[in-house]
Amino acid sequence: MDQQPFASTESVLAAIREVAEERGRTMAATHDIGADRTSRRLAAGVGTVTDADGSLPHEAFVELDGSPRVEIELYSEGDATIDVDGVVFHDLPRADVPDFLRSVYGGLAHVSGRLFPPGWRLVVPLPGDRTYRELVHTPGLTPWLSSRVR
């Protein structure tokens, strides 16, 4: 799938479902639709029920089975949070989510750093010379993270 803007949470979910099918993963998603159900409304004014385009805000929480454990939160403002085996990447553009997953499942994601002083980072490269890096805050590396140390 080419890098494209995802106009809706549902379009990102379809792309995640496609990646899950490509990799033989099972996907479970829960949806929160409407201003009274979404967790945050940073861009909306006080008392606003719909988004600027007249649609209801739509957020989703996605879990993908297997190793590594991956959880994704998609927000109506166009960003996402991805948790890969306890390493949390905040404020990713939701358009990057499918490529991020392909990198993780395709073996491109790796752990760099050193044991002492502690400083492990999960590095996830994306097409177009974009890379996400996040500090590993767990006291020890999970088996999946350990298998990705370079």
Side-chain angles (χ1 to χ4, degrees), residues 43-73:
V46 176
T48 304
V49 177
T50 61
D51 287 337
D53 63 358
S55 65
L56 290 173
H58 179 190
E59 294 180 353
F61 177 76
V62 179
E63 294 176 288
L64 297 167
D65 71 339
S67 181
R69 179 184 51 78
V70 175
E71 296 175 345
I72 305 162
E73 292 180 73

Side-chain angles (χ1 to χ4, degrees), residues 70-144:
V70 175
E71 296 175 345
I72 305 162
E73 292 180 73
L74 300 171
Y75 300 106
S76 58
E77 281 96 10
D79 62 326
T81 297
I82 302 178
D83 180 328
V84 180
D85 248 12
V87 181
V88 181
F89 293 81
H90 294 280
D91 301 322
L92 275 72
R94 67 180 172 195
D96 285 349
V97 172
D99 287 336
F100 187 98
L101 293 174
R102 284 188 177 93
S103 182
V104 168
Y105 292 133
L108 296 176
H110 61 278
V111 174
S112 66
R114 54 184 176 236
L115 183 60
F116 192 80
W120 299 111
R121 292 189 180 276
L122 179 57
V123 180
V124 183
L126 273 59
D129 293 329
R130 293 171 296 141
T131 302
Y132 290 102
R133 292 176 178 82
E134 195 62 49
L135 188 64
V136 178
H137 291 286
T138 57
L141 297 177
T142 66
W144 184 84

